[in-house]
Amino acid sequence: MKQVSDKTLQALTDIIGAQNILRDDEAMAPYIVELRGRFHTPALAIAIPETIEQLQKLVSWANDNRIGLVPQGGNTGMVGGQVPKRGNEIIVSMAKLNRVRHMDASGGYMCVEAGVTLKNAQKAADDAGLLFPLAIAPQEKAQIGGILSSNAGGLQVLAYGYARQLCLGVEAVMANGSLYQGLSGLKKDNTGYDLSSLLVGAEGTLGIISAATLKLFPKPKGFETAFINLSSPKAALTLYSELLKRLGTSLTTFEMMPDFGMQMQIRHKMIEKNPAAKNSEWYVLAQMSQLPGQSTNALSTALDSALNDRVIEHFTIAKDERIRRQMWKVREQLSGAQSKEGASIKHDISVPISAVPELIERGIEAAKTILPDIRPCPFGHLGDGNIHFNFSQPVGADPKAYMDGAMKIHEAIYGIVTDLGGSISAEHGIGQLKTELLKHHKDPVAYDMMKKIKLVLDPNNIMNPGKLFD
Ligand code: MLT
Ligand code: ZN
């Protein structure tokens, strides 16, 4: 346990009450280590405010005393943004700020607090006969505040957009304790800087998002889901443009994976069998969300044409909900499956959609030149140009030695990404994992603007210190 002065502890107790402070090692353990166990740094304490007023007082006190605060939602982030960097910060858990404040079904939006889980936000929308479409796997844990702060994406960005595009405005506690009230339900508000958008994706470095107004959509009448066999990312790209032409925004999912991703799940008994009727080099999971008035088999009709044109090798339509779930499972488990195959070198990158096949081809070639037995597993959101370009260690290799050589692979992949006009972080953010990369790959003018904004809004650097910037 980190030593905390009596004065600090007393101040914290006065502000949020002893019942909202965690101090002993066992209670703090789940908060200080992130999902993949990669970052593990102590904290002074865990503070769990119950009201916005408490949160404001806490931030204002931390600012006066130069104490770093690390806002934390469901602790599902992947780049260490939600856990301490230095070891002398206080983690601010948003879990108790978890009310759905307002539902406006006719206006198509709702206002929820930061600690509402994704699952509960989806449920609130569903209960009102609408859809909140953001879909990432850990929905029981992930919270709206963290989702917005990290500008999460997920499996339906294609049609509905990522977190920033699903948000009409936020409320946030700023570094001096003041409350930014941007909870507008307005679709149009043309009054200068878009401050809510600035706070979304800021990874808690400018202020702590305490609530948000979120856009809602009509609930689909049903789904048509297909698992598709094809020979290459190039074929997948051709298929994507065909489906987009025919289905427009009712094409809500288009996810690609290599056969390696399928075989390892079979090997580790994570699935019983391949949900496609046969094996192939590559697969696509595509889903059409059927809107009122739309035909039920628009996806299979489009896939029939693709088959005739030899763009794809085969396709399997989910004939019931059980099979649809199996198809989704293969995609959702892909990341977890890789951890069963030993160490993995990962890249969460994006390029213009049309450049995805080139990215994959060049990336595999470059990595194999460095390490011939490396096992590439590029997968993910082809429709967003966002590929999780991961590489599993060669069979039997020493995991530590493999990871020690990661830099060479990183350099090769990020070099190709830059060459193709892409981004070094498409959806997981920067956190503490990619601060160096950001420094080197972000446009220098943009990087300088970001640093200046940080300095003005958080002059004492108490807001999630060490994240985005060192
Ligand atoms: C996914 O799309 O499955 C995740 O963003 C990738 C990951 O967990 O690395
Ligand atoms: Zn992803």
Side-chain angles (χ1 to χ4, degrees), residues 327-360:
M327 290 179 173
W328 271 92
K329 200 169 152 194
V330 177
R331 169 59 186 89
E332 286 170 352
Q333 290 183 158
L334 196 42
S335 216
Q338 279 162 83
S339 55
K340 294 184 191 288
E341 288 285 322
S344 182
I345 299 175
K346 296 171 186 266
H347 310 88
D348 163 39
I349 51 189
S350 64
V351 293
I353 296 175
S354 56
V356 169
E358 184 179 343
L359 167 78
I360 293 179

PDB file of all heavy atoms in Angstrom, residues 327-360:
ATOM      1  N   MET A 327     -21.727 -17.383 -35.225  1.00  0.00           N
ATOM      2  CA  MET A 327     -20.911 -16.610 -36.172  1.00  0.00           C
ATOM      3  C   MET A 327     -20.261 -15.414 -35.466  1.00  0.00           C
ATOM      4  O   MET A 327     -19.085 -15.128 -35.639  1.00  0.00           O
ATOM      5  CB  MET A 327     -21.778 -16.127 -37.334  1.00  0.00           C
ATOM      6  CG  MET A 327     -22.225 -17.243 -38.255  1.00  0.00           C
ATOM      7  SD  MET A 327     -23.262 -16.609 -39.578  1.00  0.00           S
ATOM      8  CE  MET A 327     -23.436 -18.086 -40.592  1.00  0.00           C
ATOM      9  N   TRP A 328     -21.065 -14.741 -34.638  1.00  0.00           N
ATOM     10  CA  TRP A 328     -20.535 -13.579 -33.920  1.00  0.00           C
ATOM     11  C   TRP A 328     -19.452 -13.983 -32.926  1.00  0.00           C
ATOM     12  O   TRP A 328     -18.474 -13.263 -32.731  1.00  0.00           O
ATOM     13  CB  TRP A 328     -21.675 -12.845 -33.201  1.00  0.00           C
ATOM     14  CG  TRP A 328     -22.279 -11.819 -34.105  1.00  0.00           C
ATOM     15  CD1 TRP A 328     -23.342 -11.995 -34.933  1.00  0.00           C
ATOM     16  CD2 TRP A 328     -21.812 -10.491 -34.319  1.00  0.00           C
ATOM     17  NE1 TRP A 328     -23.574 -10.841 -35.642  1.00  0.00           N
ATOM     18  CE2 TRP A 328     -22.656  -9.909 -35.282  1.00  0.00           C
ATOM     19  CE3 TRP A 328     -20.769  -9.730 -33.788  1.00  0.00           C
ATOM     20  CZ2 TRP A 328     -22.482  -8.590 -35.718  1.00  0.00           C
ATOM     21  CZ3 TRP A 328     -20.602  -8.429 -34.231  1.00  0.00           C
ATOM     22  CH2 TRP A 328     -21.445  -7.877 -35.185  1.00  0.00           C
ATOM     23  N   LYS A 329     -19.666 -15.138 -32.320  1.00  0.00           N
ATOM     24  CA  LYS A 329     -18.711 -15.605 -31.313  1.00  0.00           C
ATOM     25  C   LYS A 329     -17.306 -15.748 -31.916  1.00  0.00           C
ATOM     26  O   LYS A 329     -16.314 -15.354 -31.319  1.00  0.00           O
ATOM     27  CB  LYS A 329     -19.205 -16.965 -30.784  1.00  0.00           C
ATOM     28  CG  LYS A 329     -18.641 -17.353 -29.458  1.00  0.00           C
ATOM     29  CD  LYS A 329     -19.413 -18.567 -28.918  1.00  0.00           C
ATOM     30  CE  LYS A 329     -18.515 -19.362 -28.014  1.00  0.00           C
ATOM     31  NZ  LYS A 329     -19.028 -20.683 -27.702  1.00  0.00           N
ATOM     32  N   VAL A 330     -17.253 -16.292 -33.118  1.00  0.00           N
ATOM     33  CA  VAL A 330     -15.953 -16.484 -33.769  1.00  0.00           C
ATOM     34  C   VAL A 330     -15.228 -15.141 -33.906  1.00  0.00           C
ATOM     35  O   VAL A 330     -14.018 -15.036 -33.679  1.00  0.00           O
ATOM     36  CB  VAL A 330     -16.129 -17.107 -35.172  1.00  0.00           C
ATOM     37  CG1 VAL A 330     -14.796 -17.233 -35.878  1.00  0.00           C
ATOM     38  CG2 VAL A 330     -16.790 -18.453 -35.066  1.00  0.00           C
ATOM     39  N   ARG A 331     -15.986 -14.127 -34.227  1.00  0.00           N
ATOM     40  CA  ARG A 331     -15.354 -12.815 -34.374  1.00  0.00           C
ATOM     41  C   ARG A 331     -14.992 -12.198 -33.022  1.00  0.00           C
ATOM     42  O   ARG A 331     -13.898 -11.679 -32.829  1.00  0.00           O
ATOM     43  CB  ARG A 331     -16.300 -11.876 -35.158  1.00  0.00           C
ATOM     44  CG  ARG A 331     -15.897 -10.417 -35.163  1.00  0.00           C
ATOM     45  CD  ARG A 331     -14.507 -10.211 -35.759  1.00  0.00           C
ATOM     46  NE  ARG A 331     -14.047  -8.840 -35.633  1.00  0.00           N
ATOM     47  CZ  ARG A 331     -13.379  -8.370 -34.580  1.00  0.00           C
ATOM     48  NH1 ARG A 331     -13.058  -9.169 -33.558  1.00  0.00           N
ATOM     49  NH2 ARG A 331     -12.996  -7.100 -34.549  1.00  0.00           N
ATOM     50  N   GLU A 332     -15.933 -12.297 -32.081  1.00  0.00           N
ATOM     51  CA  GLU A 332     -15.699 -11.638 -30.786  1.00  0.00           C
ATOM     52  C   GLU A 332     -14.570 -12.290 -29.994  1.00  0.00           C
ATOM     53  O   GLU A 332     -13.890 -11.640 -29.219  1.00  0.00           O
ATOM     54  CB  GLU A 332     -16.991 -11.640 -29.962  1.00  0.00           C
ATOM     55  CG  GLU A 332     -17.986 -10.627 -30.490  1.00  0.00           C
ATOM     56  CD  GLU A 332     -19.378 -10.745 -29.880  1.00  0.00           C
ATOM     57  OE1 GLU A 332     -19.643 -11.715 -29.143  1.00  0.00           O
ATOM     58  OE2 GLU A 332     -20.203  -9.884 -30.147  1.00  0.00           O
ATOM     59  N   GLN A 333     -14.371 -13.578 -30.193  1.00  0.00           N
ATOM     60  CA  GLN A 333     -13.351 -14.300 -29.419  1.00  0.00           C
ATOM     61  C   GLN A 333     -11.947 -14.217 -30.013  1.00  0.00           C
ATOM     62  O   GLN A 333     -11.004 -14.733 -29.443  1.00  0.00           O
ATOM     63  CB  GLN A 333     -13.715 -15.786 -29.350  1.00  0.00           C
ATOM     64  CG  GLN A 333     -14.909 -16.077 -28.505  1.00  0.00           C
ATOM     65  CD  GLN A 333     -15.200 -17.557 -28.390  1.00  0.00           C
ATOM     66  OE1 GLN A 333     -15.850 -17.958 -27.475  1.00  0.00           O
ATOM     67  NE2 GLN A 333     -14.718 -18.367 -29.321  1.00  0.00           N
ATOM     68  N   LEU A 334     -11.852 -13.588 -31.156  1.00  0.00           N
ATOM     69  CA  LEU A 334     -10.601 -13.651 -31.904  1.00  0.00           C
ATOM     70  C   LEU A 334      -9.409 -13.117 -31.117  1.00  0.00           C
ATOM     71  O   LEU A 334      -8.319 -13.701 -31.120  1.00  0.00           O
ATOM     72  CB  LEU A 334     -10.787 -12.870 -33.209  1.00  0.00           C
ATOM     73  CG  LEU A 334      -9.803 -13.076 -34.315  1.00  0.00           C
ATOM     74  CD1 LEU A 334      -9.441 -14.529 -34.482  1.00  0.00           C
ATOM     75  CD2 LEU A 334     -10.397 -12.544 -35.603  1.00  0.00           C
ATOM     76  N   SER A 335      -9.641 -12.015 -30.423  1.00  0.00           N
ATOM     77  CA  SER A 335      -8.557 -11.412 -29.665  1.00  0.00           C
ATOM     78  C   SER A 335      -8.106 -12.340 -28.532  1.00  0.00           C
ATOM     79  O   SER A 335      -6.907 -12.586 -28.358  1.00  0.00           O
ATOM     80  CB  SER A 335      -9.062 -10.098 -29.084  1.00  0.00           C
ATOM     81  OG  SER A 335      -8.077  -9.173 -29.083  1.00  0.00           O
ATOM     82  N   GLY A 336      -9.088 -12.869 -27.794  1.00  0.00           N
ATOM     83  CA  GLY A 336      -8.785 -13.779 -26.690  1.00  0.00           C
ATOM     84  C   GLY A 336      -8.083 -15.038 -27.178  1.00  0.00           C
ATOM     85  O   GLY A 336      -7.190 -15.569 -26.508  1.00  0.00           O
ATOM     86  N   ALA A 337      -8.469 -15.504 -28.369  1.00  0.00           N
ATOM     87  CA  ALA A 337      -7.877 -16.739 -28.894  1.00  0.00           C
ATOM     88  C   ALA A 337      -6.372 -16.570 -29.089  1.00  0.00           C
ATOM     89  O   ALA A 337      -5.590 -17.502 -28.863  1.00  0.00           O
ATOM     90  CB  ALA A 337      -8.541 -17.112 -30.211  1.00  0.00           C
ATOM     91  N   GLN A 338      -5.972 -15.374 -29.500  1.00  0.00           N
ATOM     92  CA  GLN A 338      -4.542 -15.177 -29.761  1.00  0.00           C
ATOM     93  C   GLN A 338      -3.699 -15.335 -28.515  1.00  0.00           C
ATOM     94  O   GLN A 338      -2.553 -15.766 -28.571  1.00  0.00           O
ATOM     95  CB  GLN A 338      -4.320 -13.792 -30.358  1.00  0.00           C
ATOM     96  CG  GLN A 338      -4.605 -13.788 -31.832  1.00  0.00           C
ATOM     97  CD  GLN A 338      -4.809 -12.384 -32.319  1.00  0.00           C
ATOM     98  OE1 GLN A 338      -3.857 -11.686 -32.592  1.00  0.00           O
ATOM     99  NE2 GLN A 338      -6.057 -11.985 -32.386  1.00  0.00           N
ATOM    100  N   SER A 339      -4.277 -14.972 -27.356  1.00  0.00           N
ATOM    101  CA  SER A 339      -3.473 -15.097 -26.137  1.00  0.00           C
ATOM    102  C   SER A 339      -3.204 -16.568 -25.820  1.00  0.00           C
ATOM    103  O   SER A 339      -2.270 -16.893 -25.100  1.00  0.00           O
ATOM    104  CB  SER A 339      -4.154 -14.383 -24.970  1.00  0.00           C
ATOM    105  OG  SER A 339      -5.450 -14.877 -24.830  1.00  0.00           O
ATOM    106  N   LYS A 340      -3.990 -17.469 -26.381  1.00  0.00           N
ATOM    107  CA  LYS A 340      -3.746 -18.905 -26.148  1.00  0.00           C
ATOM    108  C   LYS A 340      -2.627 -19.430 -27.057  1.00  0.00           C
ATOM    109  O   LYS A 340      -2.216 -20.579 -26.936  1.00  0.00           O
ATOM    110  CB  LYS A 340      -5.032 -19.704 -26.390  1.00  0.00           C
ATOM    111  CG  LYS A 340      -6.130 -19.370 -25.375  1.00  0.00           C
ATOM    112  CD  LYS A 340      -7.334 -20.267 -25.602  1.00  0.00           C
ATOM    113  CE  LYS A 340      -8.546 -19.831 -24.816  1.00  0.00           C
ATOM    114  NZ  LYS A 340      -8.482 -20.061 -23.378  1.00  0.00           N
ATOM    115  N   GLU A 341      -2.210 -18.626 -28.001  1.00  0.00           N
ATOM    116  CA  GLU A 341      -1.163 -19.066 -28.941  1.00  0.00           C
ATOM    117  C   GLU A 341       0.187 -18.471 -28.582  1.00  0.00           C
ATOM    118  O   GLU A 341       1.076 -18.392 -29.408  1.00  0.00           O
ATOM    119  CB  GLU A 341      -1.533 -18.640 -30.363  1.00  0.00           C
ATOM    120  CG  GLU A 341      -2.675 -19.412 -30.958  1.00  0.00           C
ATOM    121  CD  GLU A 341      -2.296 -20.834 -31.397  1.00  0.00           C
ATOM    122  OE1 GLU A 341      -1.191 -21.034 -31.913  1.00  0.00           O
ATOM    123  OE2 GLU A 341      -3.136 -21.744 -31.218  1.00  0.00           O
ATOM    124  N   GLY A 342       0.327 -17.997 -27.335  1.00  0.00           N
ATOM    125  CA  GLY A 342       1.593 -17.404 -26.909  1.00  0.00           C
ATOM    126  C   GLY A 342       1.583 -15.899 -27.078  1.00  0.00           C
ATOM    127  O   GLY A 342       0.527 -15.282 -27.148  1.00  0.00           O
ATOM    128  N   ALA A 343       2.802 -15.329 -27.163  1.00  0.00           N
ATOM    129  CA  ALA A 343       2.901 -13.868 -27.228  1.00  0.00           C
ATOM    130  C   ALA A 343       2.426 -13.343 -28.573  1.00  0.00           C
ATOM    131  O   ALA A 343       2.486 -14.032 -29.593  1.00  0.00           O
ATOM    132  CB  ALA A 343       4.341 -13.457 -26.988  1.00  0.00           C
ATOM    133  N   SER A 344       1.940 -12.101 -28.532  1.00  0.00           N
ATOM    134  CA  SER A 344       1.409 -11.511 -29.761  1.00  0.00           C
ATOM    135  C   SER A 344       1.868 -10.055 -29.879  1.00  0.00           C
ATOM    136  O   SER A 344       1.769  -9.298 -28.918  1.00  0.00           O
ATOM    137  CB  SER A 344      -0.121 -11.610 -29.683  1.00  0.00           C
ATOM    138  OG  SER A 344      -0.705 -11.104 -30.832  1.00  0.00           O
ATOM    139  N   ILE A 345       2.375  -9.705 -31.030  1.00  0.00           N
ATOM    140  CA  ILE A 345       2.772  -8.312 -31.286  1.00  0.00           C
ATOM    141  C   ILE A 345       1.603  -7.649 -32.006  1.00  0.00           C
ATOM    142  O   ILE A 345       1.165  -8.141 -33.049  1.00  0.00           O
ATOM    143  CB  ILE A 345       4.067  -8.260 -32.144  1.00  0.00           C
ATOM    144  CG1 ILE A 345       5.205  -8.957 -31.392  1.00  0.00           C
ATOM    145  CG2 ILE A 345       4.437  -6.833 -32.503  1.00  0.00           C
ATOM    146  CD1 ILE A 345       6.499  -9.070 -32.192  1.00  0.00           C
ATOM    147  N   LYS A 346       1.104  -6.533 -31.435  1.00  0.00           N
ATOM    148  CA  LYS A 346      -0.171  -6.001 -31.927  1.00  0.00           C
ATOM    149  C   LYS A 346      -0.042  -4.593 -32.509  1.00  0.00           C
ATOM    150  O   LYS A 346       0.775  -3.807 -32.037  1.00  0.00           O
ATOM    151  CB  LYS A 346      -1.179  -5.955 -30.777  1.00  0.00           C
ATOM    152  CG  LYS A 346      -1.541  -7.323 -30.222  1.00  0.00           C
ATOM    153  CD  LYS A 346      -2.366  -7.200 -28.961  1.00  0.00           C
ATOM    154  CE  LYS A 346      -2.611  -8.535 -28.321  1.00  0.00           C
ATOM    155  NZ  LYS A 346      -3.837  -9.196 -28.677  1.00  0.00           N
ATOM    156  N   HIS A 347      -0.889  -4.319 -33.464  1.00  0.00           N
ATOM    157  CA  HIS A 347      -0.989  -2.969 -34.030  1.00  0.00           C
ATOM    158  C   HIS A 347      -2.451  -2.676 -34.308  1.00  0.00           C
ATOM    159  O   HIS A 347      -3.110  -3.477 -34.975  1.00  0.00           O
ATOM    160  CB  HIS A 347      -0.211  -2.863 -35.354  1.00  0.00           C
ATOM    161  CG  HIS A 347       1.180  -3.394 -35.261  1.00  0.00           C
ATOM    162  ND1 HIS A 347       1.472  -4.718 -35.494  1.00  0.00           N
ATOM    163  CD2 HIS A 347       2.334  -2.788 -34.934  1.00  0.00           C
ATOM    164  CE1 HIS A 347       2.764  -4.907 -35.318  1.00  0.00           C
ATOM    165  NE2 HIS A 347       3.308  -3.752 -34.973  1.00  0.00           N
ATOM    166  N   ASP A 348      -2.943  -1.569 -33.793  1.00  0.00           N
ATOM    167  CA  ASP A 348      -4.342  -1.166 -34.023  1.00  0.00           C
ATOM    168  C   ASP A 348      -4.293   0.024 -34.983  1.00  0.00           C
ATOM    169  O   ASP A 348      -4.126   1.159 -34.575  1.00  0.00           O
ATOM    170  CB  ASP A 348      -4.960  -0.775 -32.670  1.00  0.00           C
ATOM    171  CG  ASP A 348      -6.227   0.039 -32.815  1.00  0.00           C
ATOM    172  OD1 ASP A 348      -7.015  -0.268 -33.725  1.00  0.00           O
ATOM    173  OD2 ASP A 348      -6.420   0.993 -32.023  1.00  0.00           O
ATOM    174  N   ILE A 349      -4.388  -0.274 -36.276  1.00  0.00           N
ATOM    175  CA  ILE A 349      -4.047   0.765 -37.259  1.00  0.00           C
ATOM    176  C   ILE A 349      -5.167   0.976 -38.277  1.00  0.00           C
ATOM    177  O   ILE A 349      -6.031   0.113 -38.458  1.00  0.00           O
ATOM    178  CB  ILE A 349      -2.748   0.366 -38.018  1.00  0.00           C
ATOM    179  CG1 ILE A 349      -2.889  -1.055 -38.559  1.00  0.00           C
ATOM    180  CG2 ILE A 349      -1.562   0.483 -37.092  1.00  0.00           C
ATOM    181  CD1 ILE A 349      -1.617  -1.634 -39.138  1.00  0.00           C
ATOM    182  N   SER A 350      -5.132   2.118 -38.941  1.00  0.00           N
ATOM    183  CA  SER A 350      -6.091   2.314 -40.032  1.00  0.00           C
ATOM    184  C   SER A 350      -5.383   2.931 -41.232  1.00  0.00           C
ATOM    185  O   SER A 350      -4.373   3.638 -41.087  1.00  0.00           O
ATOM    186  CB  SER A 350      -7.250   3.211 -39.595  1.00  0.00           C
ATOM    187  OG  SER A 350      -6.777   4.496 -39.280  1.00  0.00           O
ATOM    188  N   VAL A 351      -5.925   2.628 -42.388  1.00  0.00           N
ATOM    189  CA  VAL A 351      -5.460   3.224 -43.654  1.00  0.00           C
ATOM    190  C   VAL A 351      -6.717   3.502 -44.476  1.00  0.00           C
ATOM    191  O   VAL A 351      -7.797   3.008 -44.120  1.00  0.00           O
ATOM    192  CB  VAL A 351      -4.524   2.261 -44.447  1.00  0.00           C
ATOM    193  CG1 VAL A 351      -3.213   2.031 -43.716  1.00  0.00           C
ATOM    194  CG2 VAL A 351      -5.205   0.932 -44.753  1.00  0.00           C
ATOM    195  N   PRO A 352      -6.612   4.293 -45.553  1.00  0.00           N
ATOM    196  CA  PRO A 352      -7.797   4.437 -46.407  1.00  0.00           C
ATOM    197  C   PRO A 352      -8.292   3.039 -46.806  1.00  0.00           C
ATOM    198  O   PRO A 352      -7.471   2.145 -47.073  1.00  0.00           O
ATOM    199  CB  PRO A 352      -7.264   5.198 -47.628  1.00  0.00           C
ATOM    200  CG  PRO A 352      -6.044   5.912 -47.120  1.00  0.00           C
ATOM    201  CD  PRO A 352      -5.460   5.047 -46.046  1.00  0.00           C
ATOM    202  N   ILE A 353      -9.619   2.864 -46.827  1.00  0.00           N
ATOM    203  CA  ILE A 353     -10.171   1.511 -47.015  1.00  0.00           C
ATOM    204  C   ILE A 353      -9.572   0.823 -48.251  1.00  0.00           C
ATOM    205  O   ILE A 353      -9.221  -0.359 -48.210  1.00  0.00           O
ATOM    206  CB  ILE A 353     -11.707   1.578 -47.128  1.00  0.00           C
ATOM    207  CG1 ILE A 353     -12.279   2.096 -45.799  1.00  0.00           C
ATOM    208  CG2 ILE A 353     -12.312   0.203 -47.445  1.00  0.00           C
ATOM    209  CD1 ILE A 353     -13.764   2.338 -45.801  1.00  0.00           C
ATOM    210  N   SER A 354      -9.408   1.586 -49.310  1.00  0.00           N
ATOM    211  CA  SER A 354      -8.926   0.964 -50.545  1.00  0.00           C
ATOM    212  C   SER A 354      -7.482   0.464 -50.410  1.00  0.00           C
ATOM    213  O   SER A 354      -7.004  -0.322 -51.229  1.00  0.00           O
ATOM    214  CB  SER A 354      -9.027   1.952 -51.709  1.00  0.00           C
ATOM    215  OG  SER A 354      -8.317   3.116 -51.358  1.00  0.00           O
ATOM    216  N   ALA A 355      -6.773   0.924 -49.368  1.00  0.00           N
ATOM    217  CA  ALA A 355      -5.371   0.508 -49.201  1.00  0.00           C
ATOM    218  C   ALA A 355      -5.215  -0.701 -48.279  1.00  0.00           C
ATOM    219  O   ALA A 355      -4.093  -1.172 -48.063  1.00  0.00           O
ATOM    220  CB  ALA A 355      -4.541   1.680 -48.669  1.00  0.00           C
ATOM    221  N   VAL A 356      -6.324  -1.225 -47.746  1.00  0.00           N
ATOM    222  CA  VAL A 356      -6.212  -2.341 -46.788  1.00  0.00           C
ATOM    223  C   VAL A 356      -5.503  -3.564 -47.404  1.00  0.00           C
ATOM    224  O   VAL A 356      -4.590  -4.122 -46.779  1.00  0.00           O
ATOM    225  CB  VAL A 356      -7.594  -2.722 -46.198  1.00  0.00           C
ATOM    226  CG1 VAL A 356      -7.518  -4.028 -45.415  1.00  0.00           C
ATOM    227  CG2 VAL A 356      -8.098  -1.608 -45.278  1.00  0.00           C
ATOM    228  N   PRO A 357      -5.872  -4.004 -48.615  1.00  0.00           N
ATOM    229  CA  PRO A 357      -5.163  -5.177 -49.167  1.00  0.00           C
ATOM    230  C   PRO A 357      -3.655  -4.948 -49.286  1.00  0.00           C
ATOM    231  O   PRO A 357      -2.861  -5.832 -48.950  1.00  0.00           O
ATOM    232  CB  PRO A 357      -5.802  -5.367 -50.555  1.00  0.00           C
ATOM    233  CG  PRO A 357      -7.160  -4.757 -50.418  1.00  0.00           C
ATOM    234  CD  PRO A 357      -6.977  -3.585 -49.495  1.00  0.00           C
ATOM    235  N   GLU A 358      -3.271  -3.749 -49.717  1.00  0.00           N
ATOM    236  CA  GLU A 358      -1.836  -3.461 -49.841  1.00  0.00           C
ATOM    237  C   GLU A 358      -1.165  -3.476 -48.463  1.00  0.00           C
ATOM    238  O   GLU A 358      -0.066  -4.016 -48.294  1.00  0.00           O
ATOM    239  CB  GLU A 358      -1.635  -2.096 -50.523  1.00  0.00           C
ATOM    240  CG  GLU A 358      -0.165  -1.808 -50.759  1.00  0.00           C
ATOM    241  CD  GLU A 358       0.100  -0.485 -51.451  1.00  0.00           C
ATOM    242  OE1 GLU A 358      -0.838   0.095 -52.059  1.00  0.00           O
ATOM    243  OE2 GLU A 358       1.268  -0.012 -51.365  1.00  0.00           O
ATOM    244  N   LEU A 359      -1.846  -2.898 -47.472  1.00  0.00           N
ATOM    245  CA  LEU A 359      -1.307  -2.896 -46.108  1.00  0.00           C
ATOM    246  C   LEU A 359      -1.035  -4.329 -45.644  1.00  0.00           C
ATOM    247  O   LEU A 359       0.042  -4.635 -45.119  1.00  0.00           O
ATOM    248  CB  LEU A 359      -2.319  -2.233 -45.161  1.00  0.00           C
ATOM    249  CG  LEU A 359      -2.060  -2.421 -43.664  1.00  0.00           C
ATOM    250  CD1 LEU A 359      -0.949  -1.493 -43.195  1.00  0.00           C
ATOM    251  CD2 LEU A 359      -3.321  -2.158 -42.839  1.00  0.00           C
ATOM    252  N   ILE A 360      -2.006  -5.193 -45.867  1.00  0.00           N
ATOM    253  CA  ILE A 360      -1.865  -6.567 -45.374  1.00  0.00           C
ATOM    254  C   ILE A 360      -0.765  -7.313 -46.132  1.00  0.00           C
ATOM    255  O   ILE A 360       0.094  -7.967 -45.533  1.00  0.00           O
ATOM    256  CB  ILE A 360      -3.224  -7.302 -45.444  1.00  0.00           C
ATOM    257  CG1 ILE A 360      -4.176  -6.646 -44.431  1.00  0.00           C
ATOM    258  CG2 ILE A 360      -3.079  -8.801 -45.157  1.00  0.00           C
ATOM    259  CD1 ILE A 360      -5.568  -7.218 -44.370  1.00  0.00           C
TER     260      ILE A 360
END
